[in-house]
Amino acid sequence: MKALHKAALLLATHLSSCHHVMAAALDCPSELTQVTSLNDGALTLFTEVVVSPTSDSESILCARLESDSESWVGFGISPTGMMYGANFVLANAGYDSVQKYNSTLDVTKQGPFAPMEDDHQTLMNTKVTQEDGKTVVSFSKYLKEEGENNILAEGENTFLWAVGSSNAPGYHAARGEFTLDFTATAPAPPDCPSELTQVTPLNNGALTLYTEVVVSPTSDSESILCVRLESDSESWVGFGISPTGLMFGANSILGLPEYGSVMKFNSTLDVTKQGPFAPMEDDHQTLMNTKVTQEDGKTVVSFSKYLKEEGENNILAEGENTFLWAVGSSNAPGYHAARGEFTLDLKASSPAPTPPITSVPTTEAPTFTTSAPT
């Protein structure tokens, strides 16, 4: 029991120091707050970086260019500051087009710019308008794309700008180079629906799982699973993602009423050192909408989680998933009083839970870490 008490104290210390990262689907904010004046004030660039919590390659740059002339407008990513080797976003109101181009030295054949192949035309939220002698261009772009120049969310970037003398494709009337260090924006977390419609009874009906998948329109890695677990006992509650159905190698979410916390843990075989569960590092504590409450002998745990996170087991939005569940004998961190494995197709209405496995609590080794990561 002393070892278990020590585990609880160390876990409490770790909980107090954790910072939960919260993020959402990759939408541009309504206002782009970083403003850069170019072309002696005749061209203004508005930008905002939206950082993905799950993958650097999903982070985006949101941009709007406002020009005081009716002409094509260009924005280039060039680590060297040179036009050759730069990747450009060119907007032409005459063609109602905002597209990506590469610069080229073969000006006799196709001019200084060549459109990128279709599989690189990945710009989002594109728009070009002209009114009252002005041109406004909007787009968003992934910071990192294979075969293209990267954009840094933090640190100095070198960009190019250019404007034409008219809408007709041709050489620039003015151009320039500039450097910019972005201020990254943390977006709001995604919303779970008010009602979770998929219901799975577990633990002979003493534990009920409510789930709903919210699919992101922009990226699989931004889709989330919304979860609520309702237990007929006042104890800690666990939910695990385990493709093999085994505890070892599983990623677990534990609702800990004693600490008012819902956190992610990894299973480990080193039970003598830190028990079968160890809290994930802070950069993996990405759960959203977390809550754990107890009332009238019942425990309710809620959270939402990204389906795909680097270094963790994936959850399938469609297709069979293997999950684990567990409940404790009390709020104190310790071995489970009951646990089980079940499969669930998050689009299906008839999941197939397996019978619970009852285990006897022991005091030989704690369930939770006795050497919490810093």
Side-chain angles (χ1 to χ4, degrees), residues 255-270:
L256 305 171
E258 186 157 317
Y259 304 106
S261 175
V262 183
M263 286 182 62
K264 290 200 289 186
F265 287 72
N266 277 323
S267 58
T268 172
L269 288 180
D270 190 5

Side-chain angles (χ1 to χ4, degrees), residues 102-362:
N102 279 320
S103 58
T104 172
L105 290 180
D106 190 5
V107 295
T108 59
K109 183 177 181 181
Q110 56 187 0
F113 299 112
M116 289 190 186
E117 299 294 330
D118 289 349
D119 60 346
H120 281 271
Q121 296 297 345
T122 54
L123 295 177
M124 300 157 285
N125 308 307
T126 58
K127 187 177 181 181
V128 55
T129 60
Q130 288 184 330
E131 190 175 0
D132 299 330
K134 297 181 181 293
T135 303
V136 179
V137 179
S138 300
F139 64 89
S140 56
K141 181 194 181 303
Y142 292 108
L143 301 190
K144 296 184 178 181
E145 300 190 71
E146 189 174 355
E148 299 181 26
N149 298 327
N150 290 338
I151 299 172
L152 302 177
E154 294 183 8
E156 189 172 90
N157 295 273
T158 301
F159 296 121
L160 307 176
W161 63 267
V163 293
S165 55
S166 68
N167 285 331
Y171 281 91
H172 41 68
R175 67 179 177 90
E177 168 196 342
F178 65 103
T179 59
L180 192 59
D181 188 337
F182 291 114
T183 301
T185 302
D191 293 325
C192 287
S194 56
E195 183 180 358
L196 308 184
T197 60
Q198 191 163 11
V199 183
T200 308
L202 303 166
N203 196 19
N204 294 326
L207 178 66
T208 305
L209 171 69
Y210 300 84
T211 53
E212 199 81 28
V213 168
V214 180
V215 176
S216 166
T218 58
S219 168
D220 287 345
S221 65
E222 299 299 325
S223 299
I224 63 171
L225 172 65
C226 303
V227 173
R228 186 174 76 255
L229 289 148
E230 297 184 358
S231 175
D232 288 344
S233 64
E234 289 195 355
S235 67
W236 62 263
V237 178
F239 174 85
I241 303 105
S242 175
T244 65
L246 299 174
M247 187 176 75
F248 180 66
N251 305 140
S252 297
I253 291 96
L254 302 181
L256 305 171
E258 186 157 317
Y259 304 106
S261 175
V262 183
M263 286 182 62
K264 290 200 289 186
F265 287 72
N266 277 323
S267 58
T268 172
L269 288 180
D270 190 5
V271 295
T272 58
K273 184 177 180 180
Q274 57 184 9
F277 295 112
M280 289 190 187
E281 299 292 336
D282 288 354
D283 60 348
H284 281 272
Q285 296 296 345
T286 54
L287 296 177
M288 300 156 286
N289 309 307
T290 58
K291 188 177 182 182
V292 55
T293 60
Q294 287 185 326
E295 190 174 358
D296 299 329
K298 297 181 183 293
T299 303
V300 179
V301 177
S302 301
F303 64 88
S304 55
K305 181 194 181 303
Y306 291 104
L307 301 189
K308 296 183 179 181
E309 299 191 69
E310 189 173 352
E312 299 181 27
N313 297 328
N314 289 338
I315 299 172
L316 302 176
E318 296 186 9
E320 189 174 270
N321 296 273
T322 302
F323 296 123
L324 307 176
W325 63 267
V327 293
S329 55
S330 68
N331 286 334
Y335 279 91
H336 39 67
R339 67 180 176 89
E341 168 198 344
F342 65 104
T343 58
L344 188 62
D345 187 330
L346 293 166
K347 291 293 184 183
S349 56
S350 300
T354 58
I357 302 168
T358 302
S359 59
V360 179
T362 177

Side-chain angles (χ1 to χ4, degrees), residues 28 32 45-48 61-65 75 137-140:
C28 287
L32 308 184
L45 171 67
F46 300 83
T47 54
E48 202 82 29
L61 170 66
C62 303
R64 186 174 75 254
L65 290 144
F75 173 85
V137 179
S138 300
F139 64 89
S140 56

